[in-house]
Short mmCIF file of all heavy atoms in Angstrom, two decimals:
data_model
loop_
_atom_site.label_atom_id
_atom_site.label_comp_id
_atom_site.label_asym_id
_atom_site.label_seq_id
_atom_site.Cartn_x
_atom_site.Cartn_y
_atom_site.Cartn_z
N MET A 1 -12.97 12.41 22.23
CA MET A 1 -13.71 13.50 21.58
C MET A 1 -14.79 12.95 20.65
O MET A 1 -14.53 12.07 19.87
CB MET A 1 -12.75 14.36 20.77
CG MET A 1 -12.03 15.40 21.60
SD MET A 1 -11.11 16.53 20.56
CE MET A 1 -9.81 15.46 19.94
N ALA A 2 -15.95 13.47 20.74
CA ALA A 2 -17.02 13.04 19.86
C ALA A 2 -17.08 13.96 18.65
O ALA A 2 -17.31 15.15 18.77
CB ALA A 2 -18.35 13.06 20.61
N ASP A 3 -16.81 13.36 17.54
CA ASP A 3 -16.86 14.14 16.31
C ASP A 3 -17.66 13.36 15.28
O ASP A 3 -17.14 12.54 14.56
CB ASP A 3 -15.45 14.42 15.80
CG ASP A 3 -15.47 15.31 14.57
OD1 ASP A 3 -16.57 15.81 14.24
OD2 ASP A 3 -14.43 15.49 13.95
N ASP A 4 -18.92 13.61 15.26
CA ASP A 4 -19.79 12.81 14.40
C ASP A 4 -20.14 13.52 13.11
O ASP A 4 -21.00 13.09 12.36
CB ASP A 4 -21.06 12.44 15.14
CG ASP A 4 -20.77 11.44 16.25
OD1 ASP A 4 -19.83 10.64 16.08
OD2 ASP A 4 -21.45 11.48 17.27
N THR A 5 -19.49 14.61 12.84
CA THR A 5 -19.76 15.32 11.60
C THR A 5 -18.99 14.68 10.46
O THR A 5 -17.94 15.15 10.04
CB THR A 5 -19.36 16.80 11.73
OG1 THR A 5 -18.00 16.85 12.18
CG2 THR A 5 -20.25 17.52 12.72
N LEU A 6 -19.49 13.58 9.99
CA LEU A 6 -18.81 12.84 8.94
C LEU A 6 -19.01 13.50 7.58
O LEU A 6 -20.10 13.93 7.24
CB LEU A 6 -19.36 11.41 8.87
CG LEU A 6 -18.96 10.49 10.03
CD1 LEU A 6 -19.71 9.18 9.90
CD2 LEU A 6 -17.48 10.25 10.05
N ALA A 7 -17.92 13.57 6.84
CA ALA A 7 -18.04 14.03 5.46
C ALA A 7 -18.82 12.98 4.68
O ALA A 7 -18.73 11.80 4.94
CB ALA A 7 -16.66 14.24 4.87
N GLU A 8 -19.54 13.41 3.69
CA GLU A 8 -20.38 12.46 2.97
C GLU A 8 -19.61 11.66 1.94
O GLU A 8 -19.92 10.51 1.67
CB GLU A 8 -21.53 13.20 2.30
CG GLU A 8 -22.54 13.69 3.33
CD GLU A 8 -23.61 14.55 2.67
OE1 GLU A 8 -23.57 14.67 1.43
OE2 GLU A 8 -24.45 15.09 3.39
N GLU A 9 -18.60 12.28 1.37
CA GLU A 9 -17.90 11.59 0.30
C GLU A 9 -16.63 10.88 0.79
O GLU A 9 -16.40 9.73 0.51
CB GLU A 9 -17.50 12.59 -0.78
CG GLU A 9 -18.70 13.38 -1.30
CD GLU A 9 -18.25 14.50 -2.20
OE1 GLU A 9 -17.04 14.61 -2.43
OE2 GLU A 9 -19.11 15.26 -2.66
N GLN A 10 -15.83 11.65 1.48
CA GLN A 10 -14.52 11.15 1.81
C GLN A 10 -14.55 10.08 2.89
O GLN A 10 -14.64 10.36 4.06
CB GLN A 10 -13.67 12.33 2.27
CG GLN A 10 -12.20 11.99 2.32
CD GLN A 10 -11.38 13.23 2.60
OE1 GLN A 10 -11.89 14.34 2.50
NE2 GLN A 10 -10.14 13.04 2.95
N MET A 11 -14.45 8.84 2.45
CA MET A 11 -14.50 7.77 3.42
C MET A 11 -13.24 6.92 3.39
O MET A 11 -13.29 5.72 3.46
CB MET A 11 -15.73 6.89 3.13
CG MET A 11 -17.04 7.62 3.35
SD MET A 11 -17.26 8.21 5.06
CE MET A 11 -17.65 6.66 5.89
N THR A 12 -12.13 7.59 3.28
CA THR A 12 -10.89 6.85 3.40
C THR A 12 -10.22 7.22 4.71
O THR A 12 -10.41 8.31 5.23
CB THR A 12 -9.92 7.16 2.24
OG1 THR A 12 -9.68 8.56 2.21
CG2 THR A 12 -10.48 6.69 0.93
N ALA A 13 -9.44 6.30 5.20
CA ALA A 13 -8.69 6.54 6.42
C ALA A 13 -7.24 6.17 6.15
O ALA A 13 -6.92 5.57 5.13
CB ALA A 13 -9.24 5.70 7.56
N LEU A 14 -6.40 6.56 7.07
CA LEU A 14 -5.00 6.20 6.95
C LEU A 14 -4.67 5.12 7.96
O LEU A 14 -5.10 5.18 9.09
CB LEU A 14 -4.13 7.43 7.20
CG LEU A 14 -4.35 8.58 6.22
CD1 LEU A 14 -3.54 9.78 6.65
CD2 LEU A 14 -3.98 8.17 4.81
N GLN A 15 -3.91 4.17 7.51
CA GLN A 15 -3.58 3.06 8.40
C GLN A 15 -2.09 2.78 8.37
O GLN A 15 -1.47 2.79 7.31
CB GLN A 15 -4.35 1.82 7.97
CG GLN A 15 -4.08 0.61 8.83
CD GLN A 15 -4.99 -0.55 8.48
OE1 GLN A 15 -6.19 -0.46 8.65
NE2 GLN A 15 -4.42 -1.61 7.96
N VAL A 16 -1.57 2.52 9.53
CA VAL A 16 -0.17 2.12 9.64
C VAL A 16 -0.12 0.80 10.39
O VAL A 16 -0.74 0.64 11.43
CB VAL A 16 0.67 3.17 10.40
CG1 VAL A 16 2.02 2.59 10.79
CG2 VAL A 16 0.87 4.39 9.56
N ALA A 17 0.61 -0.14 9.83
CA ALA A 17 0.85 -1.39 10.53
C ALA A 17 2.34 -1.52 10.74
O ALA A 17 3.12 -1.23 9.85
CB ALA A 17 0.33 -2.56 9.72
N CYS A 18 2.70 -1.94 11.91
CA CYS A 18 4.12 -2.11 12.20
C CYS A 18 4.60 -3.35 11.46
O CYS A 18 4.19 -4.46 11.76
CB CYS A 18 4.33 -2.26 13.70
SG CYS A 18 6.06 -2.38 14.14
N ASP A 19 5.46 -3.14 10.51
CA ASP A 19 5.88 -4.31 9.72
C ASP A 19 7.36 -4.60 9.89
O ASP A 19 8.02 -5.13 9.03
CB ASP A 19 5.53 -4.13 8.25
CG ASP A 19 6.19 -2.90 7.67
OD1 ASP A 19 6.92 -2.20 8.40
OD2 ASP A 19 5.99 -2.63 6.47
N THR A 20 7.88 -4.23 11.03
CA THR A 20 9.22 -4.68 11.32
C THR A 20 9.16 -6.18 11.57
O THR A 20 8.10 -6.72 11.90
CB THR A 20 9.78 -3.99 12.58
OG1 THR A 20 8.91 -4.27 13.67
CG2 THR A 20 9.91 -2.50 12.37
N GLU A 21 10.28 -6.82 11.40
CA GLU A 21 10.25 -8.28 11.52
C GLU A 21 10.48 -8.73 12.95
O GLU A 21 11.29 -9.59 13.24
CB GLU A 21 11.30 -8.88 10.59
CG GLU A 21 10.95 -8.61 9.14
CD GLU A 21 11.96 -9.24 8.19
OE1 GLU A 21 12.73 -10.07 8.66
OE2 GLU A 21 11.95 -8.88 7.02
N VAL A 22 9.74 -8.11 13.81
CA VAL A 22 9.82 -8.48 15.21
C VAL A 22 8.59 -9.30 15.52
O VAL A 22 7.47 -8.82 15.41
CB VAL A 22 9.86 -7.23 16.10
CG1 VAL A 22 9.88 -7.64 17.57
CG2 VAL A 22 11.07 -6.38 15.77
N SER A 23 8.81 -10.53 15.88
CA SER A 23 7.66 -11.38 16.11
C SER A 23 6.83 -10.87 17.27
O SER A 23 7.36 -10.42 18.28
CB SER A 23 8.12 -12.80 16.40
OG SER A 23 8.94 -12.81 17.54
N GLY A 24 5.54 -10.94 17.09
CA GLY A 24 4.66 -10.59 18.18
C GLY A 24 4.23 -9.14 18.23
O GLY A 24 3.41 -8.77 19.04
N CYS A 25 4.79 -8.31 17.35
CA CYS A 25 4.36 -6.92 17.37
C CYS A 25 3.11 -6.75 16.53
O CYS A 25 3.11 -7.02 15.34
CB CYS A 25 5.45 -6.00 16.84
SG CYS A 25 4.94 -4.27 16.96
N LEU A 26 2.07 -6.31 17.18
CA LEU A 26 0.78 -6.19 16.50
C LEU A 26 0.34 -4.74 16.38
O LEU A 26 -0.84 -4.45 16.25
CB LEU A 26 -0.28 -6.99 17.25
CG LEU A 26 -0.02 -8.49 17.35
CD1 LEU A 26 -1.07 -9.15 18.23
CD2 LEU A 26 -0.03 -9.14 15.97
N PHE A 27 1.29 -3.86 16.44
CA PHE A 27 0.94 -2.44 16.38
C PHE A 27 0.21 -2.12 15.08
O PHE A 27 0.70 -2.39 13.99
CB PHE A 27 2.21 -1.61 16.48
CG PHE A 27 1.97 -0.12 16.39
CD1 PHE A 27 1.54 0.59 17.50
CD2 PHE A 27 2.17 0.56 15.21
CE1 PHE A 27 1.32 1.96 17.43
CE2 PHE A 27 1.96 1.93 15.12
CZ PHE A 27 1.53 2.62 16.24
N LEU A 28 -0.96 -1.59 15.24
CA LEU A 28 -1.75 -1.19 14.08
C LEU A 28 -2.55 0.03 14.47
O LEU A 28 -3.16 0.07 15.53
CB LEU A 28 -2.71 -2.32 13.69
CG LEU A 28 -3.61 -2.04 12.49
CD1 LEU A 28 -2.84 -2.18 11.20
CD2 LEU A 28 -4.80 -2.99 12.49
N MET A 29 -2.53 1.00 13.62
CA MET A 29 -3.24 2.21 13.96
C MET A 29 -3.94 2.79 12.74
O MET A 29 -3.42 2.75 11.63
CB MET A 29 -2.25 3.24 14.49
CG MET A 29 -2.92 4.27 15.37
SD MET A 29 -1.75 5.47 15.97
CE MET A 29 -2.84 6.87 16.09
N ARG A 30 -5.11 3.30 12.97
CA ARG A 30 -5.89 3.88 11.88
C ARG A 30 -6.47 5.21 12.32
O ARG A 30 -7.01 5.32 13.41
CB ARG A 30 -7.02 2.92 11.51
CG ARG A 30 -7.84 3.37 10.33
CD ARG A 30 -8.98 2.43 10.09
NE ARG A 30 -8.55 1.20 9.42
CZ ARG A 30 -9.39 0.33 8.91
NH1 ARG A 30 -10.68 0.51 9.03
NH2 ARG A 30 -8.94 -0.74 8.31
N THR A 31 -6.33 6.20 11.49
CA THR A 31 -6.90 7.51 11.82
C THR A 31 -7.54 8.12 10.58
O THR A 31 -7.38 7.62 9.46
CB THR A 31 -5.84 8.50 12.31
OG1 THR A 31 -4.98 8.83 11.22
CG2 THR A 31 -5.04 7.93 13.45
N GLU A 32 -8.20 9.22 10.80
CA GLU A 32 -8.69 9.98 9.66
C GLU A 32 -7.54 10.73 9.03
O GLU A 32 -6.52 10.98 9.66
CB GLU A 32 -9.77 10.97 10.13
CG GLU A 32 -11.00 10.28 10.67
CD GLU A 32 -11.98 11.28 11.22
OE1 GLU A 32 -11.92 12.46 10.83
OE2 GLU A 32 -12.82 10.88 12.03
N GLU A 33 -7.73 11.10 7.79
CA GLU A 33 -6.65 11.77 7.07
C GLU A 33 -6.24 13.07 7.73
O GLU A 33 -5.08 13.48 7.69
CB GLU A 33 -7.06 12.02 5.62
CG GLU A 33 -7.15 10.73 4.83
CD GLU A 33 -7.31 11.01 3.35
OE1 GLU A 33 -6.32 11.41 2.72
OE2 GLU A 33 -8.43 10.83 2.83
N SER A 34 -7.19 13.72 8.34
CA SER A 34 -6.89 14.99 8.99
C SER A 34 -6.00 14.81 10.22
O SER A 34 -5.45 15.75 10.75
CB SER A 34 -8.20 15.68 9.39
OG SER A 34 -8.94 14.83 10.24
N ASP A 35 -5.87 13.57 10.63
CA ASP A 35 -5.09 13.28 11.83
C ASP A 35 -3.73 12.68 11.50
O ASP A 35 -3.08 12.07 12.34
CB ASP A 35 -5.87 12.29 12.70
CG ASP A 35 -5.98 12.79 14.14
OD1 ASP A 35 -5.51 13.91 14.39
OD2 ASP A 35 -6.51 12.06 14.97
N LYS A 36 -3.33 12.89 10.29
CA LYS A 36 -2.13 12.23 9.79
C LYS A 36 -0.89 12.53 10.62
O LYS A 36 -0.10 11.64 10.93
CB LYS A 36 -1.89 12.67 8.35
CG LYS A 36 -0.75 11.96 7.68
CD LYS A 36 -0.70 12.39 6.23
CE LYS A 36 0.30 11.58 5.43
NZ LYS A 36 0.26 11.92 4.01
N GLU A 37 -0.74 13.78 10.97
CA GLU A 37 0.43 14.20 11.75
C GLU A 37 0.58 13.36 13.01
O GLU A 37 1.65 12.86 13.33
CB GLU A 37 0.29 15.67 12.13
CG GLU A 37 1.56 16.28 12.65
CD GLU A 37 2.30 17.02 11.55
OE1 GLU A 37 1.92 16.91 10.37
OE2 GLU A 37 3.26 17.72 11.86
N ARG A 38 -0.51 13.20 13.70
CA ARG A 38 -0.50 12.47 14.95
C ARG A 38 -0.18 10.99 14.69
O ARG A 38 0.55 10.35 15.44
CB ARG A 38 -1.86 12.60 15.64
CG ARG A 38 -1.84 12.27 17.11
CD ARG A 38 -3.15 12.70 17.75
NE ARG A 38 -4.28 11.97 17.19
CZ ARG A 38 -4.72 10.82 17.71
NH1 ARG A 38 -4.16 10.30 18.76
NH2 ARG A 38 -5.75 10.20 17.17
N LEU A 39 -0.76 10.47 13.64
CA LEU A 39 -0.50 9.08 13.28
C LEU A 39 0.99 8.85 13.06
O LEU A 39 1.57 7.90 13.57
CB LEU A 39 -1.27 8.76 12.00
CG LEU A 39 -1.03 7.37 11.38
CD1 LEU A 39 -1.66 6.29 12.23
CD2 LEU A 39 -1.59 7.32 9.97
N LEU A 40 1.60 9.74 12.33
CA LEU A 40 3.02 9.60 12.04
C LEU A 40 3.86 9.70 13.30
O LEU A 40 4.80 8.93 13.51
CB LEU A 40 3.46 10.68 11.03
CG LEU A 40 2.84 10.60 9.63
CD1 LEU A 40 3.32 11.75 8.79
CD2 LEU A 40 3.16 9.28 8.96
N GLU A 41 3.50 10.62 14.15
CA GLU A 41 4.29 10.81 15.37
C GLU A 41 4.16 9.62 16.32
O GLU A 41 5.14 9.17 16.92
CB GLU A 41 3.85 12.09 16.07
CG GLU A 41 4.33 13.32 15.32
CD GLU A 41 3.79 14.62 15.90
OE1 GLU A 41 3.01 14.55 16.87
OE2 GLU A 41 4.14 15.68 15.38
N ILE A 42 2.98 9.12 16.45
CA ILE A 42 2.77 7.97 17.34
C ILE A 42 3.52 6.75 16.80
O ILE A 42 4.14 6.00 17.55
CB ILE A 42 1.27 7.67 17.50
CG1 ILE A 42 0.63 8.79 18.33
CG2 ILE A 42 1.05 6.32 18.16
CD1 ILE A 42 -0.88 8.72 18.40
N THR A 43 3.47 6.59 15.49
CA THR A 43 4.17 5.46 14.89
C THR A 43 5.68 5.60 15.07
O THR A 43 6.37 4.64 15.41
CB THR A 43 3.84 5.38 13.39
OG1 THR A 43 2.42 5.29 13.23
CG2 THR A 43 4.50 4.16 12.76
N ARG A 44 6.16 6.81 14.85
CA ARG A 44 7.60 7.04 15.03
C ARG A 44 8.02 6.71 16.46
O ARG A 44 9.03 6.04 16.69
CB ARG A 44 7.92 8.50 14.73
CG ARG A 44 9.41 8.82 14.87
CD ARG A 44 9.64 10.31 14.81
NE ARG A 44 8.88 11.00 15.84
CZ ARG A 44 8.80 12.32 15.97
NH1 ARG A 44 9.41 13.10 15.11
NH2 ARG A 44 8.10 12.87 16.93
N ASP A 45 7.24 7.17 17.42
CA ASP A 45 7.57 6.90 18.82
C ASP A 45 7.51 5.42 19.13
O ASP A 45 8.34 4.88 19.85
CB ASP A 45 6.61 7.66 19.75
CG ASP A 45 6.86 9.16 19.70
OD1 ASP A 45 7.90 9.56 19.14
OD2 ASP A 45 6.01 9.91 20.20
N HIS A 46 6.53 4.75 18.57
CA HIS A 46 6.40 3.31 18.78
C HIS A 46 7.63 2.57 18.28
O HIS A 46 8.21 1.75 18.98
CB HIS A 46 5.16 2.77 18.06
CG HIS A 46 5.19 1.27 17.91
ND1 HIS A 46 4.80 0.42 18.92
CD2 HIS A 46 5.62 0.49 16.90
CE1 HIS A 46 4.98 -0.82 18.52
NE2 HIS A 46 5.48 -0.83 17.30
N VAL A 47 8.03 2.87 17.07
CA VAL A 47 9.16 2.16 16.47
C VAL A 47 10.44 2.45 17.24
O VAL A 47 11.27 1.58 17.47
CB VAL A 47 9.32 2.55 14.98
CG1 VAL A 47 10.59 1.94 14.40
CG2 VAL A 47 8.11 2.10 14.19
N ARG A 48 10.57 3.68 17.69
CA ARG A 48 11.77 4.04 18.45
C ARG A 48 11.79 3.33 19.80
O ARG A 48 12.79 2.75 20.21
CB ARG A 48 11.82 5.55 18.64
CG ARG A 48 13.08 6.00 19.37
CD ARG A 48 12.98 7.45 19.78
NE ARG A 48 12.98 8.35 18.64
CZ ARG A 48 12.40 9.54 18.62
NH1 ARG A 48 11.73 9.95 19.66
NH2 ARG A 48 12.46 10.31 17.56
N GLU A 49 10.66 3.37 20.47
CA GLU A 49 10.63 2.81 21.82
C GLU A 49 10.62 1.28 21.82
O GLU A 49 11.26 0.64 22.65
CB GLU A 49 9.38 3.31 22.56
CG GLU A 49 9.52 4.77 22.98
CD GLU A 49 8.20 5.35 23.45
OE1 GLU A 49 7.26 4.57 23.72
OE2 GLU A 49 8.09 6.59 23.54
N GLN A 50 9.91 0.70 20.88
CA GLN A 50 9.76 -0.75 20.90
C GLN A 50 10.83 -1.46 20.10
O GLN A 50 11.16 -2.61 20.36
CB GLN A 50 8.38 -1.14 20.34
CG GLN A 50 7.21 -0.55 21.09
CD GLN A 50 7.17 -1.00 22.55
OE1 GLN A 50 7.40 -2.16 22.86
NE2 GLN A 50 6.91 -0.07 23.46
N HIS A 51 11.36 -0.81 19.09
CA HIS A 51 12.28 -1.50 18.19
C HIS A 51 13.63 -0.82 18.06
O HIS A 51 14.51 -1.31 17.37
CB HIS A 51 11.64 -1.63 16.81
CG HIS A 51 10.27 -2.23 16.85
ND1 HIS A 51 10.04 -3.52 17.29
CD2 HIS A 51 9.06 -1.73 16.53
CE1 HIS A 51 8.74 -3.76 17.25
NE2 HIS A 51 8.11 -2.70 16.79
N GLY A 52 13.76 0.31 18.70
CA GLY A 52 15.04 0.98 18.71
C GLY A 52 15.49 1.49 17.36
O GLY A 52 16.68 1.62 17.09
N LYS A 53 14.53 1.76 16.50
CA LYS A 53 14.88 2.28 15.18
C LYS A 53 14.34 3.69 15.00
O LYS A 53 13.25 4.00 15.45
CB LYS A 53 14.29 1.38 14.08
CG LYS A 53 14.90 0.00 14.09
CD LYS A 53 14.37 -0.82 12.94
CE LYS A 53 14.99 -2.22 12.96
NZ LYS A 53 14.46 -3.08 11.90
N ASP A 54 15.11 4.49 14.33
CA ASP A 54 14.68 5.86 14.08
C ASP A 54 14.23 6.06 12.65
O ASP A 54 14.99 5.89 11.71
CB ASP A 54 15.84 6.83 14.37
CG ASP A 54 15.77 7.33 15.81
OD1 ASP A 54 14.65 7.66 16.27
OD2 ASP A 54 16.82 7.39 16.45
N TYR A 55 12.98 6.39 12.51
CA TYR A 55 12.45 6.76 11.20
C TYR A 55 12.03 8.22 11.24
O TYR A 55 11.58 8.70 12.27
CB TYR A 55 11.22 5.92 10.86
CG TYR A 55 11.50 4.50 10.47
CD1 TYR A 55 11.09 3.45 11.30
CD2 TYR A 55 12.13 4.20 9.27
CE1 TYR A 55 11.34 2.13 10.94
CE2 TYR A 55 12.38 2.89 8.91
CZ TYR A 55 11.98 1.86 9.75
OH TYR A 55 12.22 0.56 9.40
N THR A 56 12.16 8.88 10.12
CA THR A 56 11.61 10.23 10.06
C THR A 56 10.13 10.12 9.74
O THR A 56 9.65 9.10 9.24
CB THR A 56 12.29 11.07 8.97
OG1 THR A 56 12.02 10.46 7.71
CG2 THR A 56 13.79 11.13 9.19
N LEU A 57 9.41 11.19 10.02
CA LEU A 57 7.99 11.19 9.70
C LEU A 57 7.79 10.98 8.21
O LEU A 57 6.83 10.35 7.77
CB LEU A 57 7.36 12.52 10.15
CG LEU A 57 7.41 12.80 11.65
CD1 LEU A 57 6.71 14.11 11.95
CD2 LEU A 57 6.80 11.67 12.45
N GLU A 58 8.71 11.52 7.44
CA GLU A 58 8.61 11.40 5.99
C GLU A 58 8.75 9.94 5.54
O GLU A 58 8.02 9.47 4.67
CB GLU A 58 9.71 12.24 5.35
CG GLU A 58 9.41 12.67 3.94
CD GLU A 58 10.40 13.72 3.46
OE1 GLU A 58 11.62 13.46 3.61
OE2 GLU A 58 9.97 14.76 2.96
N GLU A 59 9.68 9.25 6.12
CA GLU A 59 9.88 7.83 5.78
C GLU A 59 8.65 7.01 6.12
O GLU A 59 8.20 6.16 5.36
CB GLU A 59 11.09 7.27 6.53
CG GLU A 59 12.42 7.69 5.93
CD GLU A 59 13.59 7.24 6.80
OE1 GLU A 59 13.48 7.27 8.05
OE2 GLU A 59 14.61 6.86 6.22
N ILE A 60 8.10 7.28 7.27
CA ILE A 60 6.91 6.55 7.66
C ILE A 60 5.77 6.85 6.70
O ILE A 60 5.06 5.96 6.23
CB ILE A 60 6.51 6.92 9.11
CG1 ILE A 60 7.58 6.41 10.08
CG2 ILE A 60 5.16 6.31 9.47
CD1 ILE A 60 7.45 6.98 11.47
N ASP A 61 5.63 8.11 6.40
CA ASP A 61 4.58 8.54 5.48
C ASP A 61 4.69 7.82 4.13
O ASP A 61 3.74 7.27 3.60
CB ASP A 61 4.68 10.05 5.29
CG ASP A 61 3.52 10.61 4.50
OD1 ASP A 61 2.54 9.87 4.28
OD2 ASP A 61 3.58 11.78 4.12
N GLU A 62 5.91 7.80 3.61
CA GLU A 62 6.09 7.24 2.27
C GLU A 62 6.05 5.72 2.23
O GLU A 62 5.59 5.12 1.26
CB GLU A 62 7.45 7.71 1.72
CG GLU A 62 7.44 9.18 1.35
CD GLU A 62 8.84 9.65 0.93
OE1 GLU A 62 9.78 8.84 0.96
OE2 GLU A 62 8.96 10.84 0.58
N GLN A 63 6.53 5.10 3.28
CA GLN A 63 6.74 3.65 3.21
C GLN A 63 5.71 2.83 3.98
O GLN A 63 5.52 1.65 3.71
CB GLN A 63 8.13 3.31 3.74
CG GLN A 63 9.23 3.94 2.90
CD GLN A 63 10.59 3.82 3.58
OE1 GLN A 63 10.82 2.93 4.38
NE2 GLN A 63 11.50 4.72 3.26
N HIS A 64 5.06 3.45 4.92
CA HIS A 64 4.27 2.62 5.82
C HIS A 64 2.81 3.01 5.96
O HIS A 64 2.04 2.32 6.59
CB HIS A 64 4.92 2.60 7.20
CG HIS A 64 6.31 2.04 7.19
ND1 HIS A 64 6.57 0.70 7.04
CD2 HIS A 64 7.51 2.66 7.26
CE1 HIS A 64 7.88 0.51 7.03
NE2 HIS A 64 8.48 1.69 7.16
N VAL A 65 2.45 4.15 5.39
CA VAL A 65 1.06 4.57 5.53
C VAL A 65 0.27 4.11 4.31
O VAL A 65 0.66 4.32 3.18
CB VAL A 65 0.96 6.10 5.65
CG1 VAL A 65 -0.49 6.54 5.68
CG2 VAL A 65 1.68 6.57 6.91
N ASN A 66 -0.83 3.46 4.60
CA ASN A 66 -1.72 3.02 3.53
C ASN A 66 -3.07 3.71 3.65
O ASN A 66 -3.57 3.93 4.75
CB ASN A 66 -1.95 1.51 3.61
CG ASN A 66 -0.68 0.76 3.37
OD1 ASN A 66 0.00 0.97 2.37
ND2 ASN A 66 -0.34 -0.12 4.29
N GLU A 67 -3.66 4.01 2.51
CA GLU A 67 -5.02 4.51 2.54
C GLU A 67 -5.97 3.33 2.49
O GLU A 67 -5.81 2.44 1.67
CB GLU A 67 -5.28 5.42 1.33
CG GLU A 67 -4.83 6.84 1.56
CD GLU A 67 -5.33 7.76 0.46
OE1 GLU A 67 -6.28 7.38 -0.25
OE2 GLU A 67 -4.76 8.85 0.32
N VAL A 68 -6.91 3.36 3.36
CA VAL A 68 -7.88 2.27 3.39
C VAL A 68 -9.28 2.83 3.34
O VAL A 68 -9.53 3.95 3.80
CB VAL A 68 -7.71 1.41 4.65
CG1 VAL A 68 -6.39 0.65 4.62
CG2 VAL A 68 -7.82 2.25 5.90
N GLU A 69 -10.16 2.07 2.76
CA GLU A 69 -11.55 2.52 2.73
C GLU A 69 -12.23 2.16 4.02
O GLU A 69 -12.01 1.11 4.58
CB GLU A 69 -12.29 1.87 1.55
CG GLU A 69 -11.78 2.42 0.24
CD GLU A 69 -12.70 2.04 -0.89
OE1 GLU A 69 -13.88 1.73 -0.62
OE2 GLU A 69 -12.26 2.04 -2.03
N VAL A 70 -13.06 3.06 4.46
CA VAL A 70 -13.73 2.83 5.75
C VAL A 70 -15.08 2.16 5.51
O VAL A 70 -15.81 2.58 4.61
CB VAL A 70 -13.94 4.16 6.48
CG1 VAL A 70 -14.62 3.88 7.83
CG2 VAL A 70 -12.63 4.86 6.68
ZN1 ZN B 101 6.17 -2.55 16.36
#
C-alpha cells in the first residue's frame, strides 16, 4: 500500500526485535505507531511458531516494543 501522507511532526516508529536467546534469530520489525496491533500480532505469532513460547500482546507491548526515531 502506498501511503505517502506523512505527518509532519510525528516521526517515531515502533520496533520489535526478537530477543530470545536463540542463536541466529534475526527477527526485527518496525512499523508506524498506527500499526501497532499488527506489529504485536506478528511478533506473537513469530515467537510462538519459531520459539514455542506464548506471549500475550500485552507482554510484548510492555517488554519488547521500543519507540525509535525515524
Ligand atoms: Zn525469534
Side-chain angles (χ1 to χ4, degrees):
M1 277 188 291
D3 184 8
D4 291 328
T5 53
L6 289 173
E8 289 174 4
E9 305 171 2
Q10 194 172 346
M11 295 300 285
T12 57
L14 298 175
Q15 180 173 296
V16 167
C18 183
D19 59 0
T20 58
E21 295 182 14
V22 177
S23 60
C25 183
L26 299 174
F27 179 80
L28 179 78
M29 204 181 149
R30 184 184 282 192
T31 68
E32 295 175 22
E33 290 190 74
S34 58
D35 231 4
K36 186 174 187 175
E37 193 97 351
R38 199 168 63 90
L39 175 71
L40 295 177
E41 288 174 358
I42 290 172
T43 304
R44 181 191 57 186
D45 290 348
H46 164 83
V47 174
R48 183 191 292 152
E49 286 168 15
Q50 301 299 318
H51 308 298
K53 295 184 180 177
D54 267 317
Y55 285 112
T56 63
L57 297 182
E58 204 169 50
E59 283 174 322
I60 294 167
D61 187 10
E62 288 174 359
Q63 298 169 25
H64 299 286
V65 175
N66 296 307
E67 276 191 18
V68 292
E69 291 193 22
V70 181

